[in-house]
Amino acid sequence: MSEAAAPDPRVWNSGGEPAPADTAEPVALTALQLLRHLDSGPRALTDTEAERRLARHGQNVLPAARPVSWYRRVLHSLRDPFTAVLLCLGLVSVVVAAWGTGSVILSLVAVSCLLRSSGEHRADRAMAALRESVVTTATVLRRPDHDGPVTGPREVPAAELVPGDIVRLGPGDLVPADIRLLRASGLRVHEAALTGESAPVAKYPLDAPDGTDLGPFARPHVCFMGSSVAYGSATGVVVATGARTRLAAAHRTTGRRRDSAFDQAVHGISWTLIRFMLITPPLVLMAGATLHGRGLETLPFAVAVAVGLTPEMLPVVVTTVLARGAARLARTHKVIVKRLPALHDLGAVDVLCLDKTGTLTQDRPVVARAVDAEGRDDPAVLRWAGVNAWWTLQLAELPTPDALDEAILDATGEEEPLGWDGVAALPYDPVRRLATAVVRGPGRLGTHTLVAKGAVENVLERCALDDAERERLLAMAAREADTGARLLAVALAERPGRRRAYTPADERGLDFHGFVVLRDALAPTAAEALGSLAEHGVAVRILTGDHPGTAAHTCRELGLAPGRVLTATDIDRLDDDALAEAARSTTVFARCAPEHKARIVGALRAGGHVTGFLGDGANDVPALLAADVGICPKGAVDVVRETADVVLAEKDLAAVDHAITAGRFSGAGIATYLRITLSSNLGNVIAMLAAALLLPFLPMLPAQVLVQNLCFDAAQLAFAFDRPASGALRRPARLRPRVFLRSLTGFGLLNATADVATFAVLFLTTGSSDDAQDVFHAGWFTENLLTQALVMIVLSGIRSAASGRAGSPVRCAAGALAAIGVLLPLSPLGPMLAMSPLPPLFYLLLAAVLAVYTVALRVEKLRFDRRHASHHCE
């Protein structure tokens, strides 16, 4: 976790309690001095005093984000560029008395805002349920009054703890606040939620710290809120609660997330179209006034042209597509998408950054092998390690074995240890860094065997070895450790049987027996998920605080080539440009601090990648904010769940792959919709401008434009319910504005060419008849809806009925749109909209125009697909 600047931690209130800005206990006070400052002691606080302090300090909970009101959600949704433009166009339509156009546009704005607000509200409710699912209690000592005795340990809600409370910790307990240890027995604590390190950290009391502050997590006598007890027990005094804890500092360091890839793409496309929209109405007005002497009566048509360029249904379709995808993810894979656009960003991710621990590995070790002093495999070493683990657990009355002992017992089983009789045990402690079991073999009543197991250095220094042999064994262990393994040394000693108790002084003159080599257990779904991600075009980057050898070995076991590993020291030597270049080809970054992870993610984004980051510790917050998509598991600490965009039910890489797949489908649907509607709208607007210059009358009445837009808008809703082809999964579904707009120009010009050809057909078939204007309006109306139906079918990639997509919502909507285009001018509604029936010759010539248009459209789509594949864009 990155450290925020804090005031001098020695500053205390006169009342003996931490100053409000303080986030850690004073590093130089002895335990007795600290208890006096806190006005506490071994007899604990009284209930009355605890209530008083609770009223003063508040509940022991992390600062929570304030709930967002409905009206704020709606106002925030109006910040979308297209939604804002639609709102302005709707208001302009109302001002110029175009009531129908204005009503439709304002209704679309309202629907879009409600859909987005309701989706985010559901995500917030799901997050609240997650927070409630991790409510904990704490074991605390309290007494009823100043003169009464301590009533014994009691369970109270962790939120009711106050500074000065005496709490007890046992295996599996969550540390409920920042605690200074007073007593401890074999205590080891998981701090992965804070530091990202998977191995439990030894904790023990220090009566008089030397005052040297090497950082908060280097203090062995302090346990921090958010960590958990791996094994052992302890008693400590609460020194900080709630907002004063070290974990709460992560909330204060959170910043504003930068615009994601989806935000940048939509803004880029939006502002390009907005510029066209701002230019188009003045051009129409000037052309009408200059060439045809028309004045303000052209204004409604000019507004209709601007509306024609606007994808009115964009907010509705995009929000519906994302909301349906998010709901499907939550229902089928228990993945919560808190911010709807994040689902599209998931589909655009081409680099996924993650830690090794708990994602590629299971956060538990397994025995790889056991070797003797010469490095040869020796099963006897593992059997003796199993005897030590079993009888230490039994005779020392430890509540549970630690992770290393569990791995050894899993590898040996229980049969071998039960063949020995346990005599005594000296459990592990953080100073000796080893554990010893004293056992008696069958038929050896007068002899005891001491079996010692622990850290390599500590065991070897207790063995009867010369310096050269000890150095050789240390070097051998170091070479193994460089590959990412964890080693335990095993040594034996024969002693005459006795009744006197055994002490650490007996752990001398041991005979070295060998090493037990352990490695992290791989996550069962990791290899398959990595393969699936690679097939989908997603590169994986490992950002870990672990040893470089550990990370590289794990990658090789999973079939992921680690290549050259960069460490924090290497990263510090690189500037941002050099880091961006290195990040393109580097798979593993080791010994990373929080700031290194954030820099790497930022460098990848600067290099043009869309990044996702999977993390669960408070130290991951900077990287989560730097990524396009922040992902965390349900079990992550509160600040991470608040920061992340996507929350997984479990920390499982397969779930991330499912989420990316859902994002690909949603992104492909949105991209297809945009390509179709914008190219069609652009072609129509170009044709309208040409017609306004060439024709002595308005090429289409405002009411006709409105009906045409309504029909096309209704048909476009089908994209929200269509499922793109499986080819959408092969590459990231990313919108690149420049490439996208360039391709739209090609499709739009084809559409405009078909419109101009239709003008020629209309002049040939209508001539100078009295109702030429009404026939022209009807002909262009029909051609517009037919070309839009063709665009929907061709550009959406719908195949023949044999492909199984005959029932596609887009195909059905396109058929309905074409039917309306042909039948509406012939129906009784035609005269009401100033449209006359068309001559049969027009339909024959129009069919020829549409046939040529369809061929040209398919050719242009093939060119677009080839460019799209080369640019990896959608």
Side-chain angles (χ1 to χ4, degrees), residues 663-677:
R664 293 277 173 91
F665 276 123
S666 297
I670 292 170
T672 301
Y673 160 75
L674 279 173
R675 186 166 63 246
I676 290 171
T677 188

PDB file of all heavy atoms in Angstrom, residues 663-677:
ATOM      1  N   GLY A 663     -18.003  -9.150 -22.445  1.00  0.00           N
ATOM      2  CA  GLY A 663     -17.675  -7.820 -22.940  1.00  0.00           C
ATOM      3  C   GLY A 663     -17.453  -7.795 -24.432  1.00  0.00           C
ATOM      4  O   GLY A 663     -17.815  -6.820 -25.112  1.00  0.00           O
ATOM      5  N   ARG A 664     -16.860  -8.871 -24.979  1.00  0.00           N
ATOM      6  CA  ARG A 664     -16.652  -8.936 -26.429  1.00  0.00           C
ATOM      7  C   ARG A 664     -17.994  -8.924 -27.162  1.00  0.00           C
ATOM      8  O   ARG A 664     -18.165  -8.236 -28.168  1.00  0.00           O
ATOM      9  CB  ARG A 664     -15.882 -10.213 -26.780  1.00  0.00           C
ATOM     10  CG  ARG A 664     -14.449 -10.235 -26.261  1.00  0.00           C
ATOM     11  CD  ARG A 664     -13.519  -9.496 -27.195  1.00  0.00           C
ATOM     12  NE  ARG A 664     -12.197  -9.383 -26.604  1.00  0.00           N
ATOM     13  CZ  ARG A 664     -11.218 -10.256 -26.783  1.00  0.00           C
ATOM     14  NH1 ARG A 664     -11.429 -11.327 -27.524  1.00  0.00           N
ATOM     15  NH2 ARG A 664     -10.045 -10.054 -26.230  1.00  0.00           N
ATOM     16  N   PHE A 665     -18.944  -9.730 -26.673  1.00  0.00           N
ATOM     17  CA  PHE A 665     -20.266  -9.760 -27.317  1.00  0.00           C
ATOM     18  C   PHE A 665     -20.931  -8.387 -27.245  1.00  0.00           C
ATOM     19  O   PHE A 665     -21.480  -7.898 -28.235  1.00  0.00           O
ATOM     20  CB  PHE A 665     -21.151 -10.810 -26.649  1.00  0.00           C
ATOM     21  CG  PHE A 665     -20.938 -12.198 -27.175  1.00  0.00           C
ATOM     22  CD1 PHE A 665     -20.585 -13.223 -26.326  1.00  0.00           C
ATOM     23  CD2 PHE A 665     -21.082 -12.479 -28.524  1.00  0.00           C
ATOM     24  CE1 PHE A 665     -20.374 -14.512 -26.796  1.00  0.00           C
ATOM     25  CE2 PHE A 665     -20.872 -13.762 -29.010  1.00  0.00           C
ATOM     26  CZ  PHE A 665     -20.518 -14.785 -28.151  1.00  0.00           C
ATOM     27  N   SER A 666     -20.887  -7.769 -26.076  1.00  0.00           N
ATOM     28  CA  SER A 666     -21.511  -6.442 -25.937  1.00  0.00           C
ATOM     29  C   SER A 666     -20.805  -5.417 -26.810  1.00  0.00           C
ATOM     30  O   SER A 666     -21.447  -4.610 -27.487  1.00  0.00           O
ATOM     31  CB  SER A 666     -21.473  -6.002 -24.469  1.00  0.00           C
ATOM     32  OG  SER A 666     -22.223  -6.878 -23.657  1.00  0.00           O
ATOM     33  N   GLY A 667     -19.461  -5.437 -26.789  1.00  0.00           N
ATOM     34  CA  GLY A 667     -18.715  -4.474 -27.593  1.00  0.00           C
ATOM     35  C   GLY A 667     -18.953  -4.648 -29.073  1.00  0.00           C
ATOM     36  O   GLY A 667     -19.075  -3.669 -29.828  1.00  0.00           O
ATOM     37  N   ALA A 668     -19.012  -5.926 -29.533  1.00  0.00           N
ATOM     38  CA  ALA A 668     -19.266  -6.178 -30.951  1.00  0.00           C
ATOM     39  C   ALA A 668     -20.657  -5.695 -31.346  1.00  0.00           C
ATOM     40  O   ALA A 668     -20.849  -5.127 -32.432  1.00  0.00           O
ATOM     41  CB  ALA A 668     -19.124  -7.663 -31.253  1.00  0.00           C
ATOM     42  N   GLY A 669     -21.649  -5.904 -30.456  1.00  0.00           N
ATOM     43  CA  GLY A 669     -22.993  -5.416 -30.754  1.00  0.00           C
ATOM     44  C   GLY A 669     -23.054  -3.909 -30.861  1.00  0.00           C
ATOM     45  O   GLY A 669     -23.693  -3.354 -31.765  1.00  0.00           O
ATOM     46  N   ILE A 670     -22.373  -3.228 -29.948  1.00  0.00           N
ATOM     47  CA  ILE A 670     -22.353  -1.760 -29.979  1.00  0.00           C
ATOM     48  C   ILE A 670     -21.637  -1.264 -31.226  1.00  0.00           C
ATOM     49  O   ILE A 670     -22.096  -0.327 -31.905  1.00  0.00           O
ATOM     50  CB  ILE A 670     -21.682  -1.214 -28.707  1.00  0.00           C
ATOM     51  CG1 ILE A 670     -22.561  -1.508 -27.483  1.00  0.00           C
ATOM     52  CG2 ILE A 670     -21.412   0.275 -28.822  1.00  0.00           C
ATOM     53  CD1 ILE A 670     -21.875  -1.224 -26.158  1.00  0.00           C
ATOM     54  N   ALA A 671     -20.484  -1.884 -31.565  1.00  0.00           N
ATOM     55  CA  ALA A 671     -19.725  -1.447 -32.738  1.00  0.00           C
ATOM     56  C   ALA A 671     -20.525  -1.661 -34.020  1.00  0.00           C
ATOM     57  O   ALA A 671     -20.528  -0.802 -34.918  1.00  0.00           O
ATOM     58  CB  ALA A 671     -18.395  -2.199 -32.801  1.00  0.00           C
ATOM     59  N   THR A 672     -21.210  -2.802 -34.119  1.00  0.00           N
ATOM     60  CA  THR A 672     -22.030  -3.064 -35.305  1.00  0.00           C
ATOM     61  C   THR A 672     -23.152  -2.048 -35.422  1.00  0.00           C
ATOM     62  O   THR A 672     -23.415  -1.515 -36.513  1.00  0.00           O
ATOM     63  CB  THR A 672     -22.602  -4.485 -35.238  1.00  0.00           C
ATOM     64  OG1 THR A 672     -21.532  -5.424 -35.164  1.00  0.00           O
ATOM     65  CG2 THR A 672     -23.448  -4.786 -36.450  1.00  0.00           C
ATOM     66  N   TYR A 673     -23.807  -1.780 -34.302  1.00  0.00           N
ATOM     67  CA  TYR A 673     -24.875  -0.771 -34.316  1.00  0.00           C
ATOM     68  C   TYR A 673     -24.346   0.589 -34.772  1.00  0.00           C
ATOM     69  O   TYR A 673     -24.945   1.247 -35.631  1.00  0.00           O
ATOM     70  CB  TYR A 673     -25.494  -0.649 -32.927  1.00  0.00           C
ATOM     71  CG  TYR A 673     -26.241   0.648 -32.729  1.00  0.00           C
ATOM     72  CD1 TYR A 673     -27.484   0.848 -33.314  1.00  0.00           C
ATOM     73  CD2 TYR A 673     -25.676   1.685 -31.999  1.00  0.00           C
ATOM     74  CE1 TYR A 673     -28.154   2.053 -33.170  1.00  0.00           C
ATOM     75  CE2 TYR A 673     -26.340   2.886 -31.850  1.00  0.00           C
ATOM     76  CZ  TYR A 673     -27.577   3.073 -32.433  1.00  0.00           C
ATOM     77  OH  TYR A 673     -28.224   4.260 -32.301  1.00  0.00           O
ATOM     78  N   LEU A 674     -23.223   1.008 -34.205  1.00  0.00           N
ATOM     79  CA  LEU A 674     -22.661   2.310 -34.567  1.00  0.00           C
ATOM     80  C   LEU A 674     -22.274   2.359 -36.044  1.00  0.00           C
ATOM     81  O   LEU A 674     -22.532   3.358 -36.737  1.00  0.00           O
ATOM     82  CB  LEU A 674     -21.434   2.606 -33.702  1.00  0.00           C
ATOM     83  CG  LEU A 674     -21.692   3.141 -32.296  1.00  0.00           C
ATOM     84  CD1 LEU A 674     -20.392   3.215 -31.516  1.00  0.00           C
ATOM     85  CD2 LEU A 674     -22.344   4.518 -32.356  1.00  0.00           C
ATOM     86  N   ARG A 675     -21.641   1.291 -36.523  1.00  0.00           N
ATOM     87  CA  ARG A 675     -21.212   1.280 -37.916  1.00  0.00           C
ATOM     88  C   ARG A 675     -22.406   1.396 -38.854  1.00  0.00           C
ATOM     89  O   ARG A 675     -22.362   2.122 -39.860  1.00  0.00           O
ATOM     90  CB  ARG A 675     -20.433  -0.011 -38.193  1.00  0.00           C
ATOM     91  CG  ARG A 675     -19.802  -0.075 -39.564  1.00  0.00           C
ATOM     92  CD  ARG A 675     -18.786  -1.196 -39.655  1.00  0.00           C
ATOM     93  NE  ARG A 675     -19.384  -2.506 -39.478  1.00  0.00           N
ATOM     94  CZ  ARG A 675     -19.144  -3.307 -38.455  1.00  0.00           C
ATOM     95  NH1 ARG A 675     -18.339  -2.919 -37.482  1.00  0.00           N
ATOM     96  NH2 ARG A 675     -19.712  -4.493 -38.374  1.00  0.00           N
ATOM     97  N   ILE A 676     -23.474   0.698 -38.526  1.00  0.00           N
ATOM     98  CA  ILE A 676     -24.645   0.703 -39.399  1.00  0.00           C
ATOM     99  C   ILE A 676     -25.381   2.034 -39.332  1.00  0.00           C
ATOM    100  O   ILE A 676     -25.665   2.670 -40.353  1.00  0.00           O
ATOM    101  CB  ILE A 676     -25.583  -0.459 -39.019  1.00  0.00           C
ATOM    102  CG1 ILE A 676     -24.930  -1.793 -39.402  1.00  0.00           C
ATOM    103  CG2 ILE A 676     -26.939  -0.319 -39.690  1.00  0.00           C
ATOM    104  CD1 ILE A 676     -25.664  -3.002 -38.893  1.00  0.00           C
ATOM    105  N   THR A 677     -25.705   2.477 -38.121  1.00  0.00           N
ATOM    106  CA  THR A 677     -26.536   3.667 -38.008  1.00  0.00           C
ATOM    107  C   THR A 677     -25.795   4.926 -38.434  1.00  0.00           C
ATOM    108  O   THR A 677     -26.360   5.806 -39.092  1.00  0.00           O
ATOM    109  CB  THR A 677     -27.084   3.807 -36.573  1.00  0.00           C
ATOM    110  OG1 THR A 677     -28.042   4.867 -36.549  1.00  0.00           O
ATOM    111  CG2 THR A 677     -25.985   4.145 -35.583  1.00  0.00           C
TER     112      THR A 677
END
